[in-house]
Amino acid sequence: MAKPVSEFVCQTCGHRAPKWLGKCPECQGWNTLTEEVTRHSRGGGKTAGNRNSRANSADPSVQAVTQITRSQVDRVSTGILEFDRTLGGGLVPGSLTLLGGDPGIGKSTLMLQSMWAMAEAGNRVLYVSGEESPEQIKLRAERLHCLSERLLICSEICIENVLGLLEKIQPEVLVLDSIQTFFTEDLQSAPGSIGQVREVAFKIFQECKRRSLPVFLIGHITKDGAIAGPKSLEHIVDTVVYFEGERSHAYRILRTIKNRFGPTPEMGVFEMTPEGLIPVENPSEIFLSERPADTTGSAIAATLEGTRPLLVEVQALVTASTTLGMPRRMATGLDHNRVTLLVAIMEKRLDMSLQGEDIFVNLAGGLKVTEPAMDLGVATAIASSFQNRPMDPQTVMIGEIGLTGEVRSVLQLEPRLMEAAKLGFQRCVVPHTAKKSKTLGKIKMELAFVKTLAEALEIVL
Ligand SMILES: Nc1ncnc2c1ncn2[C@@H]1O[C@H](COP(=O)(O)OP(=O)(O)OP(=O)(O)O)[C@@H](O)[C@H]1O
Ligand SMILES: [Mg+2]
Ligand SMILES: [Zn+2]
């Protein structure tokens, strides 16, 4: 059989060329050609024949949905409860999971800890690293106390060799660290190029389904997802989880953004320590633990990620701007555009003159939240700093703010309120639409229903 030939395909218009070109002759796009394996070169005639016979309803490859026998999906524990929860209750056999994150955030640490736990539970685990030598991995495993006979380590970057290993070793779980370092012999481009990343993932995908083998792919992502490699994998894999956090903070958030076997978004919280990652049982408590007492510009908001409510502290600092006409607006952990919008609403609807003020808003603990239910917390923190009046520290703010300054309802208010009550908060400012809700009766907390941002400020400032 002839070796599959590769060709270069424009990702914009589909133009095919035998060699790489900087500019696509068809659509004139620059840098749009990516190397791909020419699949039709593998005996195209035969496939056409198959397709004809498929028109026949007696073809065994076609089944009525009611006839399909489904083996009971037994999820396997990853050995880390917080990780299991993020995946929707454990690992599904034959699932392909992409674990993305910034360089150095702790991806290999999480994988090693989880794979060790799986090995200790009796699974044969194969951890293939294209980045680190077995000695380096051993060092980490010793530091994390993750040594197990069934945890098999291998340094390899050729995907064909990895597939060969699967045949020999028959592992029950496989990790590739990281997808950008592997290459297939079918393509000439360098490891890490889009073509390579996609082809390697495709080969692993087929193997993963054929063997019903759960596979983790680790992928580096830059802040804006600029390295297109892993981003372009998102539609191939079953599950995409991102590991994020500020490297200067100890907390790490594991976030599921796509899951064919469970709900999204879902999240887990970990603390990074020299002995490895430790799941955080009560994240709200930790994120609020450093909250200063009786200060201005600090508000508590309740956010919800998947099934998990989380109380967070929003901090705002409003100071007279030194640069005339160009006040600064900075948001850390929050959507910058959303904060700018809230400031505009406050100027227009509350007559606050914020034009000459620098405004900095920050989520404590290195968290990132983009939910609109945070609006009320953000706006009240800004107002508190601007007017130099501390907010009631026992009140939690929940609500989205509309363009007219109205407070709008949020999804799933109840779990947020229950979390606030659990942590001992005495009062919650909530959208007035919640009054109609029948399920809020059992919440042991004072609820202040507000229609507008102005009403909310009257209550807490
Ligand atoms: N000796 C050590 N003591 C304490 N913490 C350490 C030590 N070595 C590494 N770490 C922590 O582990 C983090 C790196 O973890 P890890 O290698 O799992 O990240 P990664 O996401 O796989 O990185 P990469 O992008 O390099 O693959 C460091 O940022 C640091 O916080
Ligand atoms: Mg790593
Ligand atoms: Zn083109």
Side-chain angles (χ1 to χ4, degrees):
M1 192 187 101
K3 216 168 146 31
V5 198
S6 71
E7 60 184 348
F8 291 83
V9 182
C10 172
Q11 301 301 304
T12 315
C13 72
H15 178 82
R16 292 166 185 274
K19 59 180 182 20
W20 189 79
L21 301 167
K23 187 181 181 183
C24 171
E26 188 74 32
C27 70
Q28 318 294 326
W30 286 99
N31 248 329
T32 53
L33 271 71
T34 304
E35 193 184 18
E36 284 181 11
V37 175
T38 352
R39 297 209 185 277
H40 55 72
S41 69
R42 293 173 179 167
K46 208 172 151 212
T47 356
N50 280 345
R51 220 168 274 146
N52 284 341
S53 72
R54 264 188 208 162
N56 182 354
S57 64
D59 191 302
S61 64
V62 180
Q63 286 172 282
V65 67
T66 47
Q67 302 287 303
I68 300 172
T69 47
R70 181 182 65 97
S71 50
Q72 186 64 40
V73 181
D74 283 324
R75 289 180 185 257
V76 192
S77 173
T78 59
I80 301 176
L81 237 74
E82 200 74 358
F83 196 9
D84 285 349
R85 222 169 43 80
T86 324
L87 293 175
L91 196 54
V92 174
S95 63
L96 185 59
T97 306
L98 173 67
L99 171 65
D102 292 337
I105 203 74
K107 302 179 293 295
S108 305
T109 306
L110 176 69
M111 269 298 123
L112 195 66
Q113 283 184 247
S114 167
M115 291 308 111
W116 168 76
M118 289 193 78
E120 288 291 278
N123 300 290
R124 195 165 337 111
V125 181
L126 180 59
Y127 190 115
V128 187
S129 179
E131 299 192 331
E132 292 165 306
S133 65
E135 292 76 23
Q136 268 176 300
I137 299 173
K138 170 83 189 262
L139 263 178
R140 179 185 289 124
E142 275 176 347
R143 171 165 61 88
L144 304 175
H145 309 291
C146 288
L147 299 169
S148 169
E149 294 280 307
R150 277 182 292 268
L151 178 54
L152 308 171
I153 307 290
C154 165
S155 261
E156 177 59 68
I157 57 171
C158 172
I159 199 66
E160 279 75 19
N161 291 350
V162 174
L163 299 185
L165 276 177
L166 294 186
E167 198 52 52
K168 254 185 262 165
I169 294 174
Q170 303 279 339
E172 284 146 311
V173 197
L174 172 70
V175 177
L176 297 189
D177 185 359
S178 68
I179 182 83
Q180 277 107 336
T181 55
F182 288 88
F183 75 95
T184 163
E185 289 165 345
D186 294 350
L187 298 179
Q188 280 118 46
S189 39
S193 61
I194 299 187
Q196 283 284 7
V197 165
R198 245 194 273 163
E199 193 57 29
V200 166
F202 182 69
K203 292 203 162 171
I204 280 295
F205 179 81
Q206 285 177 312
E207 215 44 33
C208 154
K209 298 296 164 191
R210 193 170 69 82
R211 294 176 182 270
S212 216
L213 170 73
V215 178
F216 286 101
L217 302 176
I218 295 181
H220 299 283
I221 314 275
T222 53
K223 278 271 181 295
D224 46 354
I227 297 185
K231 273 278 177 206
S232 69
L233 289 185
E234 285 181 2
H235 63 280
I236 302 181
V237 301
D238 297 311
T239 306
V240 180
V241 284
Y242 277 100
F243 206 33
E244 48 183 54
E246 294 292 324
R247 255 197 286 168
S248 48
H249 286 89
Y251 299 108
R252 302 280 181 271
I253 310 261
L254 192 61
R255 223 185 267 274
T256 313
I257 59 159
K258 164 181 171 175
N259 195 350
R260 287 190 180 137
F261 311 109
T264 54
E266 192 58 78
M267 77 169 205
V269 184
F270 294 88
E271 185 181 355
M272 178 64 104
T273 72
E275 278 79 45
L277 292 157
I278 299 172
V280 174
E281 309 266 323
N282 270 318
S284 299
E285 248 167 50
I286 303 225
F287 287 120
L288 296 183
S289 63
E290 286 176 299
R291 187 158 63 108
D294 283 337
T295 180
T296 62
S298 162
I300 306 299
T303 176
L304 191 86
E305 194 77 29
T307 51
R308 164 161 270 176
L310 193 60
L311 294 195
V312 289
E313 182 197 354
V314 185
Q315 296 189 328
L317 184 67
V318 181
T319 60
S321 179
T322 46
T323 47
L324 209 69
M326 283 279 284
R328 300 184 62 189
R329 305 279 183 257
M330 246 178 75
T332 314
L334 290 155
D335 180 20
H336 183 270
N337 291 333
R338 189 86 200 163
V339 171
T340 314
L341 178 71
L342 289 174
V343 171
I345 293 171
M346 291 167 77
E347 282 177 356
K348 178 86 178 171
R349 308 291 170 192
L350 302 178
D351 272 332
M352 287 190 178
S353 66
L354 296 163
Q355 299 93 340
E357 309 285 329
D358 285 341
I359 301 177
F360 306 91
V361 190
N362 175 35
L363 269 195
L367 275 174
K368 281 189 202 119
V369 182
T370 48
E371 218 204 358
M374 299 285 294
D375 287 354
L376 207 49
V378 174
T380 48
I382 293 173
S384 155
S385 178
F386 178 60
Q387 300 181 342
N388 226 357
R389 285 154 64 191
M391 282 178 60
D392 172 16
Q394 282 306 321
T395 301
V396 176
M397 314 298 299
I398 306 170
E400 178 180 343
I401 298 176
L403 294 186
T404 67
E406 82 276 19
V407 175
R408 309 179 70 100
S409 55
V410 303
L411 291 172
Q412 307 217 45
L413 186 59
E414 200 185 333
R416 304 177 203 251
L417 293 174
M418 279 161 66
E419 177 79 358
K422 194 177 96 190
L423 284 158
F425 284 93
Q426 276 142 31
R427 187 170 60 170
C428 255
V429 177
V430 296
H432 75 287
T433 45
K435 244 183 212 168
K436 285 183 260 154
S437 165
K438 292 180 187 75
T439 51
L440 297 184
K442 52 180 189 258
I443 308 276
K444 303 252 174 310
M445 209 179 358
E446 183 192 335
L447 296 180
F449 299 95
V450 295
K451 277 196 169 127
T452 63
L453 172 58
E455 278 177 36
L457 286 177
E458 245 166 62
I459 293 173
V460 291
L461 281 188

